[in-house]
Amino acid sequence: VRLASADATKGQSAAKKCTACHSFEKGGPNKVGPDLYGIVGRPKGGHAGFSYSAAMKAKGGNWTYEDLDQFIHAPKSYVQGTIMAFAGVPSGAERADILAYLRTLSDQPVEFPKP
């Protein structure tokens, strides 16, 4: 439901806090964390050239909006044993905006789920 009113422009601004560890451009470099271009639908722990924690590799499946929402909210709760040090984004509206921004970072954007 939050995604229906999400604002990708606000999400881009909110995601600036992530740029210390992640790049967002197509073909961008991995930093402390993997490049996030095309993250929606990508296998968890599967971005080429990035060394993921065993916990992230073991999580399995592909990133969905719901998974990303939970991970962004509380990374260490969603993937116990992750090495991601970020505490999370408590605001549901801010997370929705970030997800709307992440949706724009794809050659084939994945549709938002129906409310």
Side-chain angles (χ1 to χ4, degrees):
V1 172
R2 286 181 278 128
L3 291 174
S5 60
D7 183 327
T9 302
K10 287 181 182 176
Q12 182 177 15
S13 179
K16 286 183 180 171
K17 65 183 103 202
C18 308
T19 60
C21 297
H22 296 279
S23 61
F24 290 85
E25 61 272 1
K26 183 176 183 176
N30 291 321
K31 296 167 122 181
V32 173
D35 178 37
L36 296 179
Y37 187 90
I39 184 74
V40 182
R42 186 166 78 199
K44 295 177 189 128
H47 184 63
F50 186 77
S51 180
Y52 288 92
S53 65
M56 183 60 78
K57 289 181 200 174
K59 189 69 177 173
N62 293 340
W63 284 111
T64 65
Y65 291 111
E66 182 178 330
D67 293 328
L68 286 164
D69 182 55
Q70 292 177 40
F71 187 64
I72 294 167
H73 180 250
K76 291 190 182 293
S77 292
Y78 183 72
V79 179
Q80 294 179 5
T82 184
I83 56 174
M84 185 165 151
F86 184 66
V89 177
S91 167
E94 185 177 356
R95 289 193 315 274
D97 291 341
I98 292 169
L99 294 174
Y101 171 58
L102 290 175
R103 183 179 183 276
T104 70
L105 304 177
S106 175
D107 294 333
Q108 297 179 323
V110 175
E111 291 298 319
F112 286 145
K114 302 286 184 223

